[in-house]
Amino acid sequence: MTTGLRFAEQAVAASVADAPGSLKGLRAAGAEAFKTLGFPTTRNEDWHYTNVSAIATAQYTPAADVAPVSLDAAALEPYTFGGTWPLVVFVNGRFNAELSRLDALPAGITVRSLADASVDDADALGAVLGTAATADRDGFTALNAAFAGEGTYIRVAKEMVIDTPIHLLHVTDARGEGLMSHPRHVLVAERHAKAMVVESHIGLANVPYFTNAVVEAFVEDGATLQLIRVQREARTAHHVGTVEARQGRDSHFVTFTFQTGAALSRSNVYTVLDGEGCGCTINGLYMLDGEQHGDHQTRVEHVKENCFSREAYKGLIDDSAHGVFNGKVYVHPEAQKTDGKQTNHTLLLSEKAQIDTKPQLEIFADDVKCTHGATVGRIDETALFYLKSRGVGKVLARQLLMYAFAADVLETIEHPVIVDALEKLTVERFTGSANH
């Protein structure tokens, strides 16, 4: 069998022929783009600190080529936040209707598998599919487009408010060894709608596999859309996740990325503020140890005037792990009265831990208020000494300081159940009682 890039190109070509409905054009565009782009290399400025050769040289089987499997529903309970929310489940890259809960959706909320929507809602889906995350964005987005089929189409009708999150749960177990999956989720919040989506990626077994996920989000005038991404893949997995958002007038897009899993991971969050008075809040927490490599890239593009952006990422890196943060705020000449703030703060917990951080501003308007900054440091020895002097043991004192460092960014999430769950995972990470 062939390996690496040639193998990927052959798999891509095979995927286009049987594309259903409105996915055919996206797959064809992805296949063509991947031929040109291939996998990114460290010569590409956006990938300078992340070498993806482990992905590019591997030989994965497309999840669509393997028969669907199921799980005992009880196996999912630790990962569903204990809620009875609408739930869309994917097992080893394939949609599982039996494990999903979609029968109690209120009127005005559409949640369908991407494959079904590409046929039954072909016009509505086709109008937006591939327009935010275009096939030629980069090699991974092209690869996702070429294999598009598994995923979800969510549409929240105008002026609808859904109080409970919609949970997209991706689970990979031992039977997913050697598989690659390319889920694509399309989220549309119509005018003055409000919704929250949680996208989780969970690894149940330490086997190698590759997840390449794309989310396209469309936040129309006056709408609010929150997207919480939880990446807890197996330590032997590779994960690339891309979010592309397009925003209308007076809209608000809120996203939070929680990353603790995978041997090699990359999270991209891009949004275009294309309506006057809109704004975005982009936050994240990454915790890495062992030999993990975790990369975060963001780009906030201010196109219209009177818009705001808030961005805060925090990281805790231990052992020989390597973190990357590369964030850019780009302000167009027409985007006067832009208000943007971007920060990245990282704690290095060992001598071998590394972080490459590059917050950036690129401004072509003169009436703006923009700031950016980054800090890299170690545990505050003064605070550590204070706790120890009050009778707190050294290990517990370190854990308390690490938790305090992480907690404030977690508390920016508006849903208390999700905050509690992620805070618990954070504590488990520090005490060594969680695997990933």
Side-chain angles (χ1 to χ4, degrees), residues 86 102-111 154-164 166 190 193-195:
L102 297 174
D103 53 354
L105 291 170
I109 310 296
T110 299
V111 181
I154 299 175
R155 179 176 288 271
V156 184
K158 63 182 181 179
E159 301 180 357
M160 283 292 303
V161 174
I162 180 168
D163 296 325
T164 57
I166 299 168
E190 295 185 357
K194 185 175 182 179

Side-chain angles (χ1 to χ4, degrees), residues 46-106:
D46 288 345
W47 295 83
H48 181 68
Y49 299 107
T50 298
N51 185 338
V52 301
S53 60
I55 298 173
T57 59
Q59 193 173 86
Y60 295 107
T61 300
D65 292 351
V66 178
V69 297
S70 191
L71 290 168
D72 186 336
L76 301 181
E77 290 181 4
Y79 310 103
T80 59
F81 299 96
T84 56
W85 308 335
L87 179 67
V88 186
V89 178
F90 299 83
V91 180
N92 295 344
R94 304 293 299 274
F95 171 64
N96 188 298
E98 179 184 349
L99 294 173
S100 300
R101 295 193 302 257
L102 297 174
D103 53 354
L105 291 170

Side-chain angles (χ1 to χ4, degrees), residues 212-226:
N212 178 33
V214 169
V215 175
E216 295 189 86
F218 301 89
V219 194
E220 297 184 0
D221 294 355
T224 298
L225 178 63
Q226 299 181 62

Side-chain angles (χ1 to χ4, degrees), residues 44-353:
N44 183 313
E45 183 63 25
D46 288 345
W47 295 83
H48 181 68
Y49 299 107
T50 298
N51 185 338
V52 301
S53 60
I55 298 173
T57 59
Q59 193 173 86
Y60 295 107
T61 300
D65 292 351
V66 178
V69 297
S70 191
L71 290 168
D72 186 336
L76 301 181
E77 290 181 4
Y79 310 103
T80 59
F81 299 96
T84 56
W85 308 335
L87 179 67
V88 186
V89 178
F90 299 83
V91 180
N92 295 344
R94 304 293 299 274
F95 171 64
N96 188 298
E98 179 184 349
L99 294 173
S100 300
R101 295 193 302 257
L102 297 174
D103 53 354
L105 291 170
I109 310 296
T110 299
V111 181
R112 308 199 66 184
S113 74
L114 191 68
D116 288 345
S118 70
V119 176
D120 300 334
D121 294 315
D123 291 341
L125 177 60
V128 295
L129 182 66
T131 61
T134 57
D136 58 358
R137 154 63 77 179
D138 59 38
F140 287 106
T141 307
L143 199 61
N144 178 282
F147 285 99
E150 297 292 345
T152 315
Y153 173 54
I154 299 175
R155 179 176 288 271
V156 184
K158 63 182 181 179
E159 301 180 357
M160 283 292 303
V161 174
I162 180 168
D163 296 325
T164 57
I166 299 168
H167 190 186
L168 313 177
L169 177 58
H170 298 261
V171 180
T172 303
D173 68 4
R175 294 167 294 179
E177 182 175 1
L179 294 183
M180 64 174 178
S181 61
H182 303 275
R184 179 171 291 236
H185 304 298
V186 180
L187 317 178
V188 181
E190 295 185 357
R191 182 171 57 87
H192 296 299
K194 185 175 182 179
M196 174 184 285
V197 175
V198 179
E199 179 196 3
S200 299
H201 294 267
I202 309 297
L204 299 182
N206 279 320
V207 295
Y209 61 91
F210 171 41
T211 302
N212 178 33
V214 169
V215 175
E216 295 189 86
F218 301 89
V219 194
E220 297 184 0
D221 294 355
T224 298
L225 178 63
Q226 299 181 62
L227 174 65
I228 312 298
R229 300 193 73 247
V230 179
Q231 192 272 94
R232 298 172 60 199
E233 302 275 26
R235 289 296 188 95
T236 46
H238 296 142
H239 180 100
V240 177
T242 299
V243 177
E244 284 267 14
R246 297 294 181 267
Q247 297 184 233
R249 183 184 181 98
D250 296 323
S251 66
H252 191 194
F253 179 58
V254 182
T255 182
F256 191 100
T257 302
F258 182 87
Q259 174 188 287
T260 63
L264 170 65
S265 63
R266 164 81 171 216
S267 170
N268 306 308
V269 180
Y270 309 120
T271 186
V272 178
L273 305 178
D274 199 20
E276 185 177 348
C278 67
C280 66
T281 303
I282 302 174
N283 295 335
L285 174 65
Y286 48 93
M287 294 179 285
L288 308 171
D289 58 23
E291 301 288 335
Q292 286 183 289
H293 180 100
D295 186 346
H296 289 267
Q297 178 163 122
T298 67
R299 178 184 171 95
V300 178
E301 190 171 347
H302 288 262
V303 177
K304 299 293 174 64
E305 62 183 14
N306 290 305
C307 295
F308 72 90
S309 59
R310 295 289 184 269
E311 186 172 352
Y313 274 74
K314 286 195 168 186
L316 291 140
I317 306 178
D318 204 353
D319 301 326
S320 298
H322 184 190
V324 180
F325 175 81
N326 185 2
K328 177 178 284 188
V329 176
Y330 186 97
V331 182
H332 286 250
E334 299 82 7
Q336 302 294 339
K337 301 188 184 303
T338 286
D339 182 359
K341 184 176 182 180
Q342 179 191 77
T343 60
N344 174 227
H345 303 299
T346 304
L347 285 183
L348 300 180
L349 305 176
S350 75
E351 294 295 329
K352 293 184 178 181

